[in-house]
PDB file of all heavy atoms in Angstrom:
ATOM      1  N   ASP A 305     116.835  86.635 108.118  1.00 94.00           N
ATOM      2  CA  ASP A 305     117.194  85.348 108.703  1.00 94.00           C
ATOM      3  C   ASP A 305     116.864  84.173 107.796  1.00 94.00           C
ATOM      4  O   ASP A 305     117.351  83.075 108.019  1.00 94.00           O
ATOM      5  CB  ASP A 305     116.450  85.127 110.018  1.00 94.00           C
ATOM      6  CG  ASP A 305     117.213  85.636 111.223  1.00 94.00           C
ATOM      7  OD1 ASP A 305     118.443  85.757 111.154  1.00 94.00           O
ATOM      8  OD2 ASP A 305     116.556  85.913 112.243  1.00 94.00           O
ATOM      9  N   CYS A 306     115.989  84.404 106.802  1.00 94.00           N
ATOM     10  CA  CYS A 306     115.553  83.304 105.943  1.00 94.00           C
ATOM     11  C   CYS A 306     115.067  83.873 104.603  1.00 94.00           C
ATOM     12  O   CYS A 306     114.944  85.085 104.446  1.00 94.00           O
ATOM     13  CB  CYS A 306     114.440  82.500 106.617  1.00 94.00           C
ATOM     14  SG  CYS A 306     112.969  83.465 106.992  1.00 94.00           S
ATOM     15  N   ASP A 307     114.781  82.986 103.663  1.00 95.00           N
ATOM     16  CA  ASP A 307     114.331  83.416 102.344  1.00 95.00           C
ATOM     17  C   ASP A 307     113.038  84.217 102.410  1.00 95.00           C
ATOM     18  O   ASP A 307     112.834  85.141 101.619  1.00 95.00           O
ATOM     19  CB  ASP A 307     114.145  82.206 101.422  1.00 95.00           C
ATOM     20  CG  ASP A 307     115.476  81.571 101.024  1.00 95.00           C
ATOM     21  OD1 ASP A 307     116.499  82.289 100.988  1.00 95.00           O
ATOM     22  OD2 ASP A 307     115.486  80.358 100.749  1.00 95.00           O
ATOM     23  N   ALA A 308     112.161  83.904 103.348  1.00 95.00           N
ATOM     24  CA  ALA A 308     110.902  84.650 103.488  1.00 95.00           C
ATOM     25  C   ALA A 308     111.180  86.112 103.843  1.00 95.00           C
ATOM     26  O   ALA A 308     110.445  87.008 103.414  1.00 95.00           O
ATOM     27  CB  ALA A 308     110.010  83.999 104.533  1.00 95.00           C
ATOM     28  N   ASP A 309     112.242  86.359 104.613  1.00 95.00           N
ATOM     29  CA  ASP A 309     112.608  87.741 104.954  1.00 95.00           C
ATOM     30  C   ASP A 309     113.079  88.497 103.715  1.00 95.00           C
ATOM     31  O   ASP A 309     112.806  89.691 103.565  1.00 95.00           O
ATOM     32  CB  ASP A 309     113.692  87.765 106.029  1.00 95.00           C
ATOM     33  CG  ASP A 309     113.234  87.187 107.357  1.00 95.00           C
ATOM     34  OD1 ASP A 309     112.008  87.133 107.604  1.00 95.00           O
ATOM     35  OD2 ASP A 309     114.110  86.786 108.149  1.00 95.00           O
ATOM     36  N   VAL A 310     113.778  87.816 102.815  1.00 96.00           N
ATOM     37  CA  VAL A 310     114.198  88.437 101.559  1.00 96.00           C
ATOM     38  C   VAL A 310     112.962  88.794 100.732  1.00 96.00           C
ATOM     39  O   VAL A 310     112.862  89.893 100.193  1.00 96.00           O
ATOM     40  CB  VAL A 310     115.152  87.519 100.763  1.00 96.00           C
ATOM     41  CG1 VAL A 310     115.429  88.089  99.376  1.00 96.00           C
ATOM     42  CG2 VAL A 310     116.454  87.321 101.526  1.00 96.00           C
ATOM     43  N   ASP A 311     112.002  87.871 100.669  1.00 96.00           N
ATOM     44  CA  ASP A 311     110.761  88.150  99.933  1.00 96.00           C
ATOM     45  C   ASP A 311     110.013  89.328 100.555  1.00 96.00           C
ATOM     46  O   ASP A 311     109.476  90.182  99.838  1.00 96.00           O
ATOM     47  CB  ASP A 311     109.863  86.914  99.916  1.00 96.00           C
ATOM     48  CG  ASP A 311     110.454  85.773  99.103  1.00 96.00           C
ATOM     49  OD1 ASP A 311     111.319  86.025  98.222  1.00 96.00           O
ATOM     50  OD2 ASP A 311     110.061  84.616  99.346  1.00 96.00           O
ATOM     51  N   LEU A 312     109.991  89.393 101.884  1.00 95.00           N
ATOM     52  CA  LEU A 312     109.363  90.520 102.575  1.00 95.00           C
ATOM     53  C   LEU A 312     110.063  91.824 102.207  1.00 95.00           C
ATOM     54  O   LEU A 312     109.405  92.826 101.893  1.00 95.00           O
ATOM     55  CB  LEU A 312     109.412  90.303 104.091  1.00 95.00           C
ATOM     56  CG  LEU A 312     108.938  91.471 104.962  1.00 95.00           C
ATOM     57  CD1 LEU A 312     107.474  91.786 104.722  1.00 95.00           C
ATOM     58  CD2 LEU A 312     109.200  91.161 106.432  1.00 95.00           C
ATOM     59  N   LEU A 313     111.389  91.819 102.211  1.00 96.00           N
ATOM     60  CA  LEU A 313     112.149  93.011 101.842  1.00 96.00           C
ATOM     61  C   LEU A 313     111.808  93.462 100.425  1.00 96.00           C
ATOM     62  O   LEU A 313     111.565  94.645 100.183  1.00 96.00           O
ATOM     63  CB  LEU A 313     113.651  92.754 101.971  1.00 96.00           C
ATOM     64  CG  LEU A 313     114.553  93.889 101.477  1.00 96.00           C
ATOM     65  CD1 LEU A 313     114.362  95.153 102.316  1.00 96.00           C
ATOM     66  CD2 LEU A 313     116.004  93.455 101.455  1.00 96.00           C
ATOM     67  N   LEU A 314     111.771  92.529  99.486  1.00 97.00           N
ATOM     68  CA  LEU A 314     111.466  92.887  98.098  1.00 97.00           C
ATOM     69  C   LEU A 314     110.071  93.499  97.996  1.00 97.00           C
ATOM     70  O   LEU A 314     109.870  94.484  97.267  1.00 97.00           O
ATOM     71  CB  LEU A 314     111.594  91.668  97.188  1.00 97.00           C
ATOM     72  CG  LEU A 314     112.987  91.047  97.090  1.00 97.00           C
ATOM     73  CD1 LEU A 314     112.969  89.807  96.212  1.00 97.00           C
ATOM     74  CD2 LEU A 314     114.016  92.034  96.600  1.00 97.00           C
ATOM     75  N   SER A 315     109.120  92.942  98.714  1.00 95.00           N
ATOM     76  CA  SER A 315     107.766  93.509  98.714  1.00 95.00           C
ATOM     77  C   SER A 315     107.761  94.922  99.295  1.00 95.00           C
ATOM     78  O   SER A 315     107.109  95.826  98.758  1.00 95.00           O
ATOM     79  CB  SER A 315     106.814  92.618  99.517  1.00 95.00           C
ATOM     80  OG  SER A 315     106.692  91.356  98.927  1.00 95.00           O
ATOM     81  N   LEU A 316     108.493  95.116 100.376  1.00 95.00           N
ATOM     82  CA  LEU A 316     108.545  96.435 101.003  1.00 95.00           C
ATOM     83  C   LEU A 316     109.269  97.457 100.126  1.00 95.00           C
ATOM     84  O   LEU A 316     108.918  98.637 100.114  1.00 95.00           O
ATOM     85  CB  LEU A 316     109.190  96.343 102.382  1.00 95.00           C
ATOM     86  CG  LEU A 316     108.361  95.632 103.445  1.00 95.00           C
ATOM     87  CD1 LEU A 316     109.178  95.445 104.723  1.00 95.00           C
ATOM     88  CD2 LEU A 316     107.072  96.389 103.729  1.00 95.00           C
ATOM     89  N   VAL A 317     110.281  97.022  99.383  1.00 96.00           N
ATOM     90  CA  VAL A 317     110.964  97.930  98.460  1.00 96.00           C
ATOM     91  C   VAL A 317     109.985  98.385  97.384  1.00 96.00           C
ATOM     92  O   VAL A 317     109.956  99.561  97.007  1.00 96.00           O
ATOM     93  CB  VAL A 317     112.219  97.280  97.841  1.00 96.00           C
ATOM     94  CG1 VAL A 317     112.765  98.119  96.693  1.00 96.00           C
ATOM     95  CG2 VAL A 317     113.291  97.089  98.906  1.00 96.00           C
ATOM     96  N   SER A 318     109.151  97.486  96.911  1.00 95.00           N
ATOM     97  CA  SER A 318     108.137  97.849  95.925  1.00 95.00           C
ATOM     98  C   SER A 318     107.182  98.889  96.494  1.00 95.00           C
ATOM     99  O   SER A 318     106.852  99.886  95.833  1.00 95.00           O
ATOM    100  CB  SER A 318     107.373  96.592  95.488  1.00 95.00           C
ATOM    101  OG  SER A 318     106.412  96.918  94.523  1.00 95.00           O
ATOM    102  N   ILE A 319     106.760  98.694  97.738  1.00 93.00           N
ATOM    103  CA  ILE A 319     105.885  99.664  98.408  1.00 93.00           C
ATOM    104  C   ILE A 319     106.607 101.000  98.558  1.00 93.00           C
ATOM    105  O   ILE A 319     106.038 102.064  98.332  1.00 93.00           O
ATOM    106  CB  ILE A 319     105.432  99.127  99.776  1.00 93.00           C
ATOM    107  CG1 ILE A 319     104.454  97.960  99.573  1.00 93.00           C
ATOM    108  CG2 ILE A 319     104.816 100.216 100.635  1.00 93.00           C
ATOM    109  CD1 ILE A 319     104.150  97.181 100.838  1.00 93.00           C
ATOM    110  N   ALA A 320     107.882 100.945  98.938  1.00 92.00           N
ATOM    111  CA  ALA A 320     108.659 102.177  99.122  1.00 92.00           C
ATOM    112  C   ALA A 320     108.793 102.947  97.812  1.00 92.00           C
ATOM    113  O   ALA A 320     108.645 104.177  97.789  1.00 92.00           O
ATOM    114  CB  ALA A 320     110.038 101.856  99.686  1.00 92.00           C
ATOM    115  N   LEU A 321     109.065 102.256  96.729  1.00 92.00           N
ATOM    116  CA  LEU A 321     109.189 102.936  95.428  1.00 92.00           C
ATOM    117  C   LEU A 321     107.894 103.632  95.057  1.00 92.00           C
ATOM    118  O   LEU A 321     107.899 104.785  94.623  1.00 92.00           O
ATOM    119  CB  LEU A 321     109.595 101.942  94.348  1.00 92.00           C
ATOM    120  CG  LEU A 321     111.047 101.512  94.362  1.00 92.00           C
ATOM    121  CD1 LEU A 321     111.266 100.338  93.414  1.00 92.00           C
ATOM    122  CD2 LEU A 321     111.961 102.674  94.009  1.00 92.00           C
ATOM    123  N   LYS A 322     106.782 102.948  95.243  1.00 90.00           N
ATOM    124  CA  LYS A 322     105.483 103.558  94.932  1.00 90.00           C
ATOM    125  C   LYS A 322     105.219 104.744  95.847  1.00 90.00           C
ATOM    126  O   LYS A 322     104.754 105.792  95.402  1.00 90.00           O
ATOM    127  CB  LYS A 322     104.374 102.522  95.052  1.00 90.00           C
ATOM    128  CG  LYS A 322     103.014 103.074  94.666  1.00 90.00           C
ATOM    129  CD  LYS A 322     102.017 101.979  94.470  1.00 90.00           C
ATOM    130  CE  LYS A 322     100.644 102.485  94.148  1.00 90.00           C
ATOM    131  NZ  LYS A 322     100.525 103.274  92.951  1.00 90.00           N
ATOM    132  N   ALA A 323     105.502 104.589  97.131  1.00 87.00           N
ATOM    133  CA  ALA A 323     105.272 105.676  98.089  1.00 87.00           C
ATOM    134  C   ALA A 323     106.122 106.898  97.765  1.00 87.00           C
ATOM    135  O   ALA A 323     105.667 108.031  97.877  1.00 87.00           O
ATOM    136  CB  ALA A 323     105.565 105.187  99.509  1.00 87.00           C
ATOM    137  N   HIS A 324     107.362 106.673  97.341  1.00 83.00           N
ATOM    138  CA  HIS A 324     108.245 107.799  97.041  1.00 83.00           C
ATOM    139  C   HIS A 324     107.863 108.506  95.745  1.00 83.00           C
ATOM    140  O   HIS A 324     108.219 109.665  95.557  1.00 83.00           O
ATOM    141  CB  HIS A 324     109.705 107.342  97.005  1.00 83.00           C
ATOM    142  CG  HIS A 324     110.285 107.184  98.367  1.00 83.00           C
ATOM    143  ND1 HIS A 324     110.872 108.209  99.054  1.00 83.00           N
ATOM    144  CD2 HIS A 324     110.329 106.102  99.193  1.00 83.00           C
ATOM    145  CE1 HIS A 324     111.267 107.783 100.234  1.00 83.00           C
ATOM    146  NE2 HIS A 324     110.946 106.510 100.342  1.00 83.00           N
ATOM    147  N   GLN A 325     107.143 107.838  94.872  1.00 82.00           N
ATOM    148  CA  GLN A 325     106.675 108.501  93.644  1.00 82.00           C
ATOM    149  C   GLN A 325     105.623 109.559  93.962  1.00 82.00           C
ATOM    150  O   GLN A 325     105.508 110.546  93.254  1.00 82.00           O
ATOM    151  CB  GLN A 325     106.085 107.475  92.674  1.00 82.00           C
ATOM    152  CG  GLN A 325     107.110 106.585  92.059  1.00 82.00           C
ATOM    153  CD  GLN A 325     106.476 105.464  91.238  1.00 82.00           C
ATOM    154  OE1 GLN A 325     105.276 105.278  91.229  1.00 82.00           O
ATOM    155  NE2 GLN A 325     107.322 104.721  90.541  1.00 82.00           N
ATOM    156  N   THR A 326     104.858 109.340  95.030  1.00 75.00           N
ATOM    157  CA  THR A 326     103.788 110.278  95.386  1.00 75.00           C
ATOM    158  C   THR A 326     104.111 111.083  96.629  1.00 75.00           C
ATOM    159  O   THR A 326     103.314 111.867  97.077  1.00 75.00           O
ATOM    160  CB  THR A 326     102.471 109.511  95.620  1.00 75.00           C
ATOM    161  OG1 THR A 326     102.668 108.560  96.668  1.00 75.00           O
ATOM    162  CG2 THR A 326     102.037 108.796  94.360  1.00 75.00           C
ATOM    163  N   TRP A 327     105.296 110.883  97.172  1.00 58.00           N
ATOM    164  CA  TRP A 327     105.703 111.584  98.391  1.00 58.00           C
ATOM    165  C   TRP A 327     105.795 113.075  98.120  1.00 58.00           C
ATOM    166  O   TRP A 327     106.519 113.501  97.220  1.00 58.00           O
ATOM    167  CB  TRP A 327     107.047 111.028  98.840  1.00 58.00           C
ATOM    168  CG  TRP A 327     107.613 111.612 100.085  1.00 58.00           C
ATOM    169  CD1 TRP A 327     106.966 111.832 101.253  1.00 58.00           C
ATOM    170  CD2 TRP A 327     108.954 112.025 100.302  1.00 58.00           C
ATOM    171  NE1 TRP A 327     107.816 112.348 102.184  1.00 58.00           N
ATOM    172  CE2 TRP A 327     109.047 112.482 101.621  1.00 58.00           C
ATOM    173  CE3 TRP A 327     110.087 112.063  99.508  1.00 58.00           C
ATOM    174  CZ2 TRP A 327     110.228 112.969 102.162  1.00 58.00           C
ATOM    175  CZ3 TRP A 327     111.255 112.535 100.061  1.00 58.00           C
ATOM    176  CH2 TRP A 327     111.320 112.987 101.369  1.00 58.00           C
ATOM    177  N   PRO A 328     105.062 113.898  98.868  1.00 61.00           N
ATOM    178  CA  PRO A 328     105.143 115.342  98.632  1.00 61.00           C
ATOM    179  C   PRO A 328     106.535 115.881  98.952  1.00 61.00           C
ATOM    180  O   PRO A 328     107.076 115.624 100.009  1.00 61.00           O
ATOM    181  CB  PRO A 328     104.113 115.937  99.591  1.00 61.00           C
ATOM    182  CG  PRO A 328     103.501 114.812 100.331  1.00 61.00           C
ATOM    183  CD  PRO A 328     104.171 113.542  99.934  1.00 61.00           C
ATOM    184  N   SER A 329     107.090 116.613  98.027  1.00 52.00           N
ATOM    185  CA  SER A 329     108.439 117.159  98.236  1.00 52.00           C
ATOM    186  C   SER A 329     108.457 118.233  99.314  1.00 52.00           C
ATOM    187  O   SER A 329     109.518 118.644  99.749  1.00 52.00           O
ATOM    188  CB  SER A 329     108.995 117.700  96.921  1.00 52.00           C
ATOM    189  OG  SER A 329     108.133 118.687  96.405  1.00 52.00           O
ATOM    190  N   ALA A 330     107.294 118.691  99.773  1.00 48.00           N
ATOM    191  CA  ALA A 330     107.232 119.686 100.837  1.00 48.00           C
ATOM    192  C   ALA A 330     107.527 119.076 102.206  1.00 48.00           C
ATOM    193  O   ALA A 330     107.769 119.796 103.163  1.00 48.00           O
ATOM    194  CB  ALA A 330     105.858 120.349 100.857  1.00 48.00           C
TER     195      ALA A 330
END
Side-chain angles (χ1 to χ4, degrees):
D305 269 337
C306 60
D307 289 332
D309 296 339
V310 172
D311 293 338
L312 173 63
L313 174 64
L314 297 177
S315 297
L316 290 173
V317 169
S318 181
I319 290 169
L321 284 170
K322 183 166 177 60
H324 281 273
Q325 289 173 353
T326 59
W327 181 46
S329 58

